[in-house]
Amino acid sequence: MSDGRVINFGAGPSALPASVLEEAAKGLLNFNGTGIGIAEISHRSKEFTAFLAEVESLIRSQLDVPETHSILFTQGGGSAQFSAVVLNLLARHHLLNPDLPERDLDYVVTGSWSKKAAEEARRLGGGRVNVVVDARASSKDGRTFDSIPAHASYSFTSPNPALIYYCENETVDGVEFSNDASSPASFPFHLLPQNTPLLPLVGDYSSSFMSRPIPRLADHAIIYAGAQKNIGPAGLTILIVRKDCLVDVDAAAKLGAAPVPLTMAYKTLADNSSVYNTPAVLPIYISGLVLRRSAEQGGVQYYEALNKRKADKLYAAIKEGEARGVFRAKVKEGSGSLMNVVFDVVGDGAEAKFISGAEALGMKAIKGHRSVGGIRVSLYNAVTEEQTDVIVAFMKSFLAQ
Protein backbone atom coordinates (compact mmCIF):
# COMPACT_ATOMS: atom_id res chain seq x y z
CA MET A 1 0.00 0.00 0.00
CA SER A 2 1.29 3.46 -0.87
CA ASP A 3 1.43 4.73 2.71
CA GLY A 4 3.14 1.58 3.98
CA ARG A 5 0.06 0.31 5.80
CA VAL A 6 -1.24 -3.19 5.20
CA ILE A 7 -4.67 -4.79 5.74
CA ASN A 8 -4.72 -5.95 9.34
CA PHE A 9 -6.92 -9.01 9.87
CA GLY A 10 -5.48 -9.58 13.35
CA ALA A 11 -7.65 -10.84 16.20
CA GLY A 12 -6.44 -8.22 18.66
CA PRO A 13 -4.94 -5.76 19.06
CA SER A 14 -6.89 -5.21 15.90
CA ALA A 15 -7.31 -2.72 13.09
CA LEU A 16 -8.37 0.84 13.87
CA PRO A 17 -9.82 3.36 11.38
CA ALA A 18 -7.08 5.40 9.71
CA SER A 19 -9.04 8.64 10.23
CA VAL A 20 -9.17 7.96 13.97
CA LEU A 21 -5.44 7.28 14.15
CA GLU A 22 -4.77 10.56 12.33
CA GLU A 23 -6.99 12.46 14.79
CA ALA A 24 -5.40 10.67 17.74
CA ALA A 25 -1.95 11.70 16.52
CA LYS A 26 -3.01 15.34 16.86
CA GLY A 27 -4.30 14.66 20.37
CA LEU A 28 -0.96 13.18 21.35
CA LEU A 29 0.48 16.66 20.92
CA ASN A 30 -2.48 18.80 21.99
CA PHE A 31 -5.62 17.34 23.58
CA ASN A 32 -8.74 19.48 23.11
CA GLY A 33 -6.82 22.72 22.92
CA THR A 34 -5.17 22.28 26.33
CA GLY A 35 -1.65 22.47 24.95
CA ILE A 36 -0.97 19.16 26.70
CA GLY A 37 -0.88 15.80 24.93
CA ILE A 38 -3.48 13.20 25.87
CA ALA A 39 -0.76 10.83 27.13
CA GLU A 40 0.48 13.58 29.47
CA ILE A 41 -2.69 15.13 30.81
CA SER A 42 -4.03 14.52 34.32
CA HIS A 43 -6.80 11.94 34.46
CA ARG A 44 -8.54 14.23 36.99
CA SER A 45 -8.42 17.33 34.76
CA LYS A 46 -11.79 18.79 33.82
CA GLU A 47 -10.98 18.25 30.14
CA PHE A 48 -10.32 14.54 30.50
CA THR A 49 -13.18 13.81 32.91
CA ALA A 50 -15.55 15.58 30.50
CA PHE A 51 -14.23 13.39 27.68
CA LEU A 52 -14.67 10.27 29.83
CA ALA A 53 -18.30 11.25 30.45
CA GLU A 54 -18.77 11.62 26.69
CA VAL A 55 -17.37 8.13 26.07
CA GLU A 56 -19.85 6.74 28.59
CA SER A 57 -22.69 8.60 26.89
CA LEU A 58 -21.67 7.31 23.44
CA ILE A 59 -21.78 3.71 24.68
CA ARG A 60 -25.05 4.22 26.56
CA SER A 61 -26.85 5.76 23.59
CA GLN A 62 -25.60 3.34 20.93
CA LEU A 63 -26.26 0.18 22.97
CA ASP A 64 -29.39 1.56 24.65
CA VAL A 65 -28.00 0.90 28.13
CA PRO A 66 -30.71 1.56 30.75
CA GLU A 67 -30.18 3.74 33.81
CA THR A 68 -30.33 0.58 35.93
CA HIS A 69 -26.77 -0.09 34.78
CA SER A 70 -23.50 1.79 35.31
CA ILE A 71 -20.78 2.02 32.66
CA LEU A 72 -17.29 1.67 34.13
CA PHE A 73 -13.76 1.76 32.75
CA THR A 74 -10.92 -0.36 34.09
CA GLN A 75 -7.83 -2.31 33.02
CA GLY A 76 -6.65 -5.91 32.85
CA GLY A 77 -8.70 -7.14 29.90
CA GLY A 78 -11.13 -10.02 29.90
CA SER A 79 -8.70 -12.22 31.83
CA ALA A 80 -8.85 -9.91 34.86
CA GLN A 81 -12.64 -10.02 34.66
CA PHE A 82 -12.55 -13.82 34.89
CA SER A 83 -11.52 -13.14 38.49
CA ALA A 84 -13.39 -9.90 39.17
CA VAL A 85 -16.84 -11.21 38.24
CA VAL A 86 -16.39 -14.19 40.56
CA LEU A 87 -15.23 -12.08 43.50
CA ASN A 88 -17.84 -9.34 43.11
CA LEU A 89 -20.78 -11.67 42.53
CA LEU A 90 -19.79 -14.02 45.33
CA ALA A 91 -19.66 -10.95 47.60
CA ARG A 92 -23.16 -9.98 46.40
CA HIS A 93 -24.39 -13.53 46.97
CA HIS A 94 -23.04 -13.59 50.55
CA LEU A 95 -24.87 -10.35 51.31
CA LEU A 96 -28.13 -11.68 49.86
CA ASN A 97 -27.78 -15.21 51.28
CA PRO A 98 -25.52 -15.04 54.36
CA ASP A 99 -26.44 -18.49 55.71
CA LEU A 100 -26.21 -20.52 52.52
CA PRO A 101 -23.80 -23.47 53.02
CA GLU A 102 -22.70 -23.71 49.36
CA ARG A 103 -22.84 -21.40 46.35
CA ASP A 104 -23.19 -22.33 42.69
CA LEU A 105 -21.39 -20.70 39.78
CA ASP A 106 -22.80 -21.74 36.39
CA TYR A 107 -20.57 -21.66 33.30
CA VAL A 108 -21.57 -22.11 29.67
CA VAL A 109 -18.42 -23.45 27.98
CA THR A 110 -18.40 -22.89 24.21
CA GLY A 111 -14.72 -22.23 23.52
CA SER A 112 -11.23 -21.53 24.78
CA TRP A 113 -12.08 -18.33 26.68
CA SER A 114 -15.16 -19.60 28.50
CA LYS A 115 -13.13 -22.69 29.40
CA LYS A 116 -10.44 -20.44 30.90
CA ALA A 117 -13.07 -18.45 32.78
CA ALA A 118 -14.46 -21.61 34.38
CA GLU A 119 -10.95 -22.74 35.30
CA GLU A 120 -10.28 -19.42 37.03
CA ALA A 121 -13.52 -19.72 39.00
CA ARG A 122 -12.42 -23.16 40.21
CA ARG A 123 -9.00 -21.82 41.12
CA LEU A 124 -10.46 -18.99 43.20
CA GLY A 125 -12.84 -21.29 45.07
CA GLY A 126 -15.71 -19.90 47.10
CA GLY A 127 -18.34 -21.86 45.24
CA ARG A 128 -19.17 -24.97 43.25
CA VAL A 129 -18.49 -24.51 39.53
CA ASN A 130 -21.16 -26.16 37.39
CA VAL A 131 -20.60 -26.57 33.66
CA VAL A 132 -24.07 -25.93 32.24
CA VAL A 133 -22.98 -27.22 28.85
CA ASP A 134 -19.64 -28.11 27.24
CA ALA A 135 -19.78 -27.61 23.48
CA ARG A 136 -17.04 -30.17 22.90
CA ALA A 137 -19.53 -32.94 23.71
CA SER A 138 -21.45 -32.19 20.51
CA SER A 139 -18.43 -31.54 18.25
CA LYS A 140 -17.33 -33.74 15.37
CA ASP A 141 -14.41 -35.21 17.32
CA GLY A 142 -15.56 -34.67 20.91
CA ARG A 143 -12.50 -32.51 21.58
CA THR A 144 -12.85 -29.23 19.68
CA PHE A 145 -15.25 -26.30 19.92
CA ASP A 146 -16.98 -26.20 16.56
CA SER A 147 -20.56 -25.12 17.31
CA ILE A 148 -23.06 -23.56 19.68
CA PRO A 149 -24.80 -26.45 21.49
CA ALA A 150 -28.50 -27.16 20.97
CA HIS A 151 -30.75 -25.66 23.64
CA ALA A 152 -31.70 -29.13 24.88
CA SER A 153 -28.06 -29.66 25.96
CA TYR A 154 -28.11 -26.93 28.62
CA SER A 155 -28.67 -27.80 32.26
CA PHE A 156 -29.13 -24.82 34.59
CA THR A 157 -29.49 -26.84 37.80
CA SER A 158 -29.24 -24.19 40.50
CA PRO A 159 -32.32 -22.05 41.26
CA ASN A 160 -30.16 -19.45 43.01
CA PRO A 161 -26.68 -19.26 41.43
CA ALA A 162 -24.08 -16.66 42.38
CA LEU A 163 -23.41 -16.12 38.68
CA ILE A 164 -24.23 -17.48 35.24
CA TYR A 165 -21.42 -16.90 32.74
CA TYR A 166 -21.21 -17.13 28.96
CA CYS A 167 -18.84 -15.81 26.27
CA GLU A 168 -20.80 -14.35 23.37
CA ASN A 169 -18.04 -14.72 20.77
CA GLU A 170 -15.10 -17.11 21.07
CA THR A 171 -12.17 -15.35 19.39
CA VAL A 172 -9.94 -18.44 19.18
CA ASP A 173 -12.49 -20.96 17.97
CA GLY A 174 -14.63 -18.74 15.73
CA VAL A 175 -17.92 -19.67 17.43
CA GLU A 176 -20.57 -17.06 18.21
CA PHE A 177 -24.10 -16.98 19.62
CA SER A 178 -26.70 -15.88 17.10
CA ASN A 179 -28.61 -12.63 17.64
CA ASP A 180 -31.71 -14.26 16.16
CA ALA A 181 -33.79 -15.55 19.08
CA SER A 182 -35.36 -18.20 16.83
CA SER A 183 -31.97 -19.68 15.90
CA PRO A 184 -30.84 -22.90 17.61
CA ALA A 185 -27.48 -21.13 18.02
CA SER A 186 -28.96 -18.29 20.10
CA PHE A 187 -28.35 -18.00 23.83
CA PRO A 188 -31.15 -19.88 25.69
CA PHE A 189 -32.48 -17.03 27.81
CA HIS A 190 -35.74 -18.96 28.22
CA LEU A 191 -33.94 -21.74 30.11
CA LEU A 192 -32.51 -19.47 32.80
CA PRO A 193 -33.90 -19.82 36.35
CA GLN A 194 -37.30 -18.15 36.32
CA ASN A 195 -37.84 -17.61 40.04
CA THR A 196 -34.66 -15.64 40.70
CA PRO A 197 -35.12 -11.86 40.55
CA LEU A 198 -32.23 -9.85 39.12
CA LEU A 199 -30.42 -12.79 37.57
CA PRO A 200 -26.60 -12.73 37.97
CA LEU A 201 -26.06 -13.16 34.22
CA VAL A 202 -22.54 -12.32 33.02
CA GLY A 203 -21.66 -11.88 29.34
CA ASP A 204 -18.11 -11.65 27.98
CA TYR A 205 -18.56 -9.50 24.87
CA SER A 206 -14.89 -8.70 24.27
CA SER A 207 -14.73 -9.72 20.62
CA SER A 208 -18.09 -8.36 19.48
CA PHE A 209 -18.69 -5.30 21.67
CA MET A 210 -20.12 -2.41 19.62
CA SER A 211 -20.34 -4.58 16.50
CA ARG A 212 -24.08 -5.25 16.90
CA PRO A 213 -26.83 -4.83 19.51
CA ILE A 214 -26.65 -6.95 22.68
CA PRO A 215 -29.76 -9.13 23.09
CA ARG A 216 -31.61 -8.55 26.37
CA LEU A 217 -28.88 -6.28 27.68
CA ALA A 218 -31.06 -5.13 30.59
CA ASP A 219 -31.34 -8.72 31.84
CA HIS A 220 -27.58 -8.94 32.39
CA ALA A 221 -25.88 -8.31 35.71
CA ILE A 222 -22.51 -7.65 34.06
CA ILE A 223 -21.28 -7.26 30.51
CA TYR A 224 -17.58 -6.70 29.95
CA ALA A 225 -15.30 -6.22 26.97
CA GLY A 226 -11.68 -5.59 26.22
CA ALA A 227 -11.46 -2.57 23.93
CA GLN A 228 -8.78 -3.98 21.63
CA LYS A 229 -11.16 -5.55 19.12
CA ASN A 230 -13.72 -3.06 17.82
CA ILE A 231 -13.08 0.08 19.84
CA GLY A 232 -9.51 1.01 20.67
CA PRO A 233 -6.02 -0.08 21.71
CA ALA A 234 -5.23 -2.72 24.31
CA GLY A 235 -5.26 -1.58 27.92
CA LEU A 236 -8.91 -0.61 28.40
CA THR A 237 -11.74 -2.80 29.67
CA ILE A 238 -15.34 -1.57 29.54
CA LEU A 239 -17.93 -2.80 32.06
CA ILE A 240 -21.71 -2.49 32.05
CA VAL A 241 -22.75 -3.34 35.61
CA ARG A 242 -26.28 -3.50 37.00
CA LYS A 243 -26.39 -1.28 40.05
CA ASP A 244 -27.44 -4.03 42.47
CA CYS A 245 -24.03 -5.60 41.76
CA LEU A 246 -22.19 -2.54 43.11
CA VAL A 247 -21.91 -4.07 46.57
CA ASP A 248 -19.94 -3.35 49.74
CA VAL A 249 -17.27 -6.02 49.38
CA ASP A 250 -15.86 -5.35 52.86
CA ALA A 251 -19.26 -6.02 54.44
CA ALA A 252 -19.47 -9.23 52.42
CA ALA A 253 -16.00 -10.29 53.62
CA LYS A 254 -17.25 -10.10 57.21
CA LEU A 255 -19.88 -12.67 56.22
CA GLY A 256 -17.28 -15.06 54.81
CA ALA A 257 -16.81 -13.86 51.24
CA ALA A 258 -13.29 -13.64 49.86
CA PRO A 259 -11.75 -10.15 50.16
CA VAL A 260 -11.88 -8.22 46.89
CA PRO A 261 -8.96 -5.96 45.89
CA LEU A 262 -10.24 -2.38 45.83
CA THR A 263 -9.27 -1.80 42.21
CA MET A 264 -11.30 -4.88 41.22
CA ALA A 265 -14.38 -3.95 43.26
CA TYR A 266 -17.10 -2.58 40.99
CA LYS A 267 -18.44 -0.30 43.71
CA THR A 268 -15.02 1.35 44.03
CA LEU A 269 -14.96 2.06 40.30
CA ALA A 270 -18.53 3.39 40.32
CA ASP A 271 -18.13 5.55 43.42
CA ASN A 272 -15.06 7.18 41.90
CA SER A 273 -16.32 7.60 38.33
CA SER A 274 -13.67 5.13 37.08
CA VAL A 275 -10.79 7.34 38.27
CA TYR A 276 -10.08 5.78 41.69
CA ASN A 277 -6.63 5.15 40.21
CA THR A 278 -5.18 6.33 36.92
CA PRO A 279 -7.23 4.83 34.09
CA ALA A 280 -5.92 3.93 30.64
CA VAL A 281 -6.05 7.54 29.43
CA LEU A 282 -4.74 7.09 25.87
CA PRO A 283 -6.85 3.98 25.07
CA ILE A 284 -9.92 5.78 26.44
CA TYR A 285 -9.19 8.76 24.19
CA ILE A 286 -8.80 6.65 21.03
CA SER A 287 -11.88 4.60 21.96
CA GLY A 288 -13.86 7.81 22.32
CA LEU A 289 -12.82 8.89 18.83
CA VAL A 290 -13.87 5.50 17.45
CA LEU A 291 -17.24 5.75 19.23
CA ARG A 292 -17.84 9.25 17.85
CA ARG A 293 -17.22 7.92 14.36
CA SER A 294 -19.50 4.95 15.03
CA ALA A 295 -22.33 7.25 16.09
CA GLU A 296 -21.92 9.30 12.91
CA GLN A 297 -22.18 6.16 10.77
CA GLY A 298 -25.29 4.80 12.44
CA GLY A 299 -24.02 2.90 15.47
CA VAL A 300 -24.30 -0.81 16.12
CA GLN A 301 -27.18 -1.28 13.66
CA TYR A 302 -24.96 0.00 10.85
CA TYR A 303 -22.09 -2.26 11.85
CA GLU A 304 -24.32 -5.31 12.29
CA ALA A 305 -25.41 -5.08 8.65
CA LEU A 306 -21.89 -4.31 7.43
CA ASN A 307 -20.28 -7.13 9.40
CA LYS A 308 -22.84 -9.63 8.17
CA ARG A 309 -22.11 -8.70 4.56
CA LYS A 310 -18.38 -9.11 5.16
CA ALA A 311 -18.75 -12.46 6.91
CA ASP A 312 -21.19 -13.81 4.31
CA LYS A 313 -18.65 -13.16 1.56
CA LEU A 314 -15.89 -14.91 3.47
CA TYR A 315 -17.99 -17.94 4.42
CA ALA A 316 -19.15 -18.27 0.80
CA ALA A 317 -15.51 -18.39 -0.34
CA ILE A 318 -14.75 -21.05 2.29
CA LYS A 319 -17.72 -23.10 1.11
CA GLU A 320 -16.51 -22.87 -2.47
CA GLY A 321 -13.07 -24.01 -1.31
CA GLU A 322 -14.59 -26.95 0.56
CA ALA A 323 -16.34 -28.09 -2.62
CA ARG A 324 -12.94 -28.17 -4.32
CA GLY A 325 -11.20 -29.92 -1.41
CA VAL A 326 -8.90 -26.96 -0.71
CA PHE A 327 -10.46 -25.32 2.38
CA ARG A 328 -12.09 -26.92 5.39
CA ALA A 329 -14.43 -25.01 7.71
CA LYS A 330 -13.68 -25.36 11.41
CA VAL A 331 -17.16 -24.32 12.59
CA LYS A 332 -20.53 -25.87 11.80
CA GLU A 333 -22.83 -23.75 9.65
CA GLY A 334 -25.03 -21.47 11.75
CA SER A 335 -22.53 -21.16 14.62
CA GLY A 336 -19.84 -19.18 12.81
CA SER A 337 -18.63 -15.86 14.15
CA LEU A 338 -19.12 -12.62 12.24
CA MET A 339 -15.93 -11.36 13.86
CA ASN A 340 -13.43 -14.24 13.70
CA VAL A 341 -13.72 -16.54 10.68
CA VAL A 342 -11.62 -19.71 10.98
CA PHE A 343 -10.79 -22.45 8.48
CA ASP A 344 -8.04 -24.85 7.41
CA VAL A 345 -6.15 -24.97 4.13
CA VAL A 346 -5.86 -28.63 3.14
CA GLY A 347 -2.66 -30.27 1.96
CA ASP A 348 1.04 -30.43 2.83
CA GLY A 349 2.51 -26.94 2.92
CA ALA A 350 -0.76 -25.43 1.65
CA GLU A 351 -1.39 -23.33 4.76
CA ALA A 352 2.09 -21.77 4.66
CA LYS A 353 1.67 -21.06 0.94
CA PHE A 354 -1.71 -19.42 1.61
CA ILE A 355 -0.31 -17.19 4.37
CA SER A 356 2.77 -16.15 2.40
CA GLY A 357 0.63 -15.41 -0.66
CA ALA A 358 -1.70 -13.21 1.36
CA GLU A 359 1.19 -11.38 2.99
CA ALA A 360 2.77 -10.69 -0.39
CA LEU A 361 -0.45 -8.84 -1.25
CA GLY A 362 -0.42 -6.79 1.96
CA MET A 363 -2.73 -8.91 4.14
CA LYS A 364 -1.35 -9.61 7.60
CA ALA A 365 -2.13 -11.52 10.81
CA ILE A 366 -4.27 -14.30 9.33
CA LYS A 367 -2.54 -17.23 11.03
CA GLY A 368 -4.85 -19.01 13.47
CA HIS A 369 -4.36 -18.98 17.23
CA ARG A 370 -1.38 -21.07 18.31
CA SER A 371 -3.64 -23.46 20.23
CA VAL A 372 -5.76 -24.47 17.20
CA GLY A 373 -3.76 -23.52 14.10
CA GLY A 374 -5.30 -22.96 10.69
CA ILE A 375 -6.36 -19.58 9.33
CA ARG A 376 -8.23 -16.89 11.23
CA VAL A 377 -9.53 -13.76 9.50
CA SER A 378 -10.90 -11.19 11.94
CA LEU A 379 -13.48 -8.79 10.51
CA TYR A 380 -13.77 -6.18 13.23
CA ASN A 381 -15.57 -2.91 12.61
CA ALA A 382 -12.52 -1.10 11.22
CA VAL A 383 -12.00 -3.74 8.52
CA THR A 384 -13.83 -2.37 5.49
CA GLU A 385 -15.97 -4.28 3.03
CA GLU A 386 -13.43 -3.39 0.33
CA GLN A 387 -10.63 -4.94 2.38
CA THR A 388 -12.76 -8.04 2.86
CA ASP A 389 -13.23 -8.20 -0.91
CA VAL A 390 -9.43 -8.26 -1.28
CA ILE A 391 -8.99 -11.42 0.77
CA VAL A 392 -12.02 -13.06 -0.85
CA ALA A 393 -10.49 -12.37 -4.28
CA PHE A 394 -7.20 -13.84 -3.09
CA MET A 395 -8.99 -16.96 -1.79
CA LYS A 396 -10.62 -17.45 -5.19
CA SER A 397 -7.33 -16.99 -7.02
CA PHE A 398 -5.74 -19.50 -4.62
CA LEU A 399 -8.48 -21.99 -5.54
CA ALA A 400 -7.86 -21.39 -9.22
CA GLN A 401 -4.21 -22.30 -8.75
Side-chain angles (χ1 to χ4, degrees):
M1 302 179 79
S2 59
D3 60 359
R5 285 180 63 79
V6 300
I7 303 175
N8 178 10
F9 289 114
S14 60
L16 289 167
S19 61
V20 166
L21 293 175
E22 290 165 357
E23 182 68 21
K26 298 174 186 174
L28 276 170
L29 291 173
N30 187 346
F31 168 62
N32 281 10
T34 60
I36 303 173
I38 183 62
E40 309 164 286
I41 201 164
S42 168
H43 60 290
R44 300 190 189 280
S45 66
K46 67 179 188 297
E47 292 86 0
F48 179 74
T49 53
F51 188 85
L52 186 62
E54 181 190 352
V55 176
E56 176 184 341
S57 177
L58 287 164
I59 295 170
R60 190 176 293 279
S61 60
Q62 292 181 60
L63 285 179
D64 196 21
V65 179
E67 290 302 321
T68 52
H69 289 61
S70 296
I71 298 175
L72 309 173
F73 303 93
T74 186
Q75 301 175 51
S79 295
Q81 291 308 306
F82 293 166
S83 310
V85 294
V86 172
L87 295 173
N88 280 273
L89 289 184
L90 278 174
R92 173 183 181 268
H93 207 254
H94 274 270
L95 291 169
L96 292 173
N97 309 276
D99 300 322
L100 207 63
E102 193 163 27
R103 301 170 199 282
D104 290 306
L105 298 89
D106 285 356
Y107 278 79
V108 174
V109 178
T110 52
S112 301
W113 290 116
S114 49
K115 176 174 173 285
K116 285 180 182 291
E119 289 169 350
E120 175 64 358
R122 289 192 191 95
R123 192 187 72 82
L124 290 174
R128 177 175 54 198
V129 174
N130 305 315
V131 175
V132 171
V133 68
D134 188 325
R136 289 172 293 188
S138 57
S139 68
K140 293 188 294 288
D141 57 12
R143 295 182 294 103
T144 53
F145 296 104
D146 66 5
S147 64
I148 296 296
H151 289 174
S153 305
Y154 292 73
S155 179
F156 295 99
T157 55
S158 174
N160 182 24
L163 67 83
I164 302 167
Y165 167 95
Y166 73 101
C167 180
E168 194 265 354
N169 179 81
E170 292 281 0
T171 324
V172 171
D173 306 282
V175 174
E176 185 175 46
F177 284 96
S178 171
N179 257 16
D180 179 359
S182 65
S183 167
S186 63
F187 186 80
F189 291 100
H190 63 288
L191 296 178
L192 295 172
Q194 299 298 309
N195 59 344
T196 304
L198 297 176
L199 273 173
L201 183 62
V202 177
D204 177 350
Y205 273 74
S206 289
S207 295
S208 59
F209 194 67
M210 302 306 299
S211 72
R212 60 182 187 169
I214 296 177
R216 295 178 62 165
L217 185 152
D219 292 336
H220 289 74
I222 299 162
I223 289 167
Y224 66 82
Q228 69 276 12
K229 311 293 186 180
N230 284 303
I231 311 169
L236 170 65
T237 307
I238 299 168
L239 306 169
I240 300 175
V241 181
R242 201 173 59 219
K243 290 178 181 177
D244 64 280
C245 299
L246 305 172
V247 300
D248 186 336
V249 295
D250 292 335
K254 292 176 182 177
L255 297 173
V260 183
L262 277 178
T263 55
M264 297 184 79
Y266 298 146
K267 190 174 188 300
T268 302
L269 292 171
D271 288 350
N272 293 274
S273 303
S274 297
V275 292
Y276 174 80
N277 61 330
T278 309
V281 174
L282 180 59
I284 288 171
Y285 174 59
I286 296 177
S287 297
L289 298 181
V290 170
L291 289 164
R292 281 179 182 172
R293 180 177 180 270
S294 172
E296 291 167 358
Q297 293 184 309
V300 290
Q301 288 79 14
Y302 166 82
Y303 280 111
E304 180 177 36
L306 171 63
N307 290 327
K308 188 173 188 313
R309 290 199 306 272
K310 295 187 300 187
D312 283 348
K313 290 180 179 183
L314 201 53
Y315 282 115
I318 294 169
K319 201 165 189 176
E320 182 180 342
E322 283 194 296
R324 299 193 188 189
V326 179
F327 301 148
R328 181 171 56 232
K330 284 177 170 286
V331 176
K332 292 177 184 177
E333 192 168 352
S335 295
S337 169
L338 300 185
M339 296 286 94
N340 312 104
V341 180
V342 296
F343 61 98
D344 290 321
V345 184
V346 180
D348 290 340
E351 180 183 303
K353 182 180 178 184
F354 184 89
I355 293 171
S356 63
E359 289 186 343
L361 295 173
M363 292 172 276
K364 299 284 187 177
I366 63 170
K367 188 172 179 59
H369 191 272
R370 61 187 179 279
S371 64
V372 295
I375 303 297
R376 174 172 57 177
V377 180
S378 293
L379 301 175
Y380 297 124
N381 288 356
V383 175
T384 67
E385 192 166 3
E386 292 74 21
Q387 290 172 329
T388 306
D389 289 341
V390 172
I391 195 165
V392 168
F394 167 69
M395 291 167 72
K396 292 187 175 183
S397 70
F398 189 85
L399 293 177
Q401 295 172 25

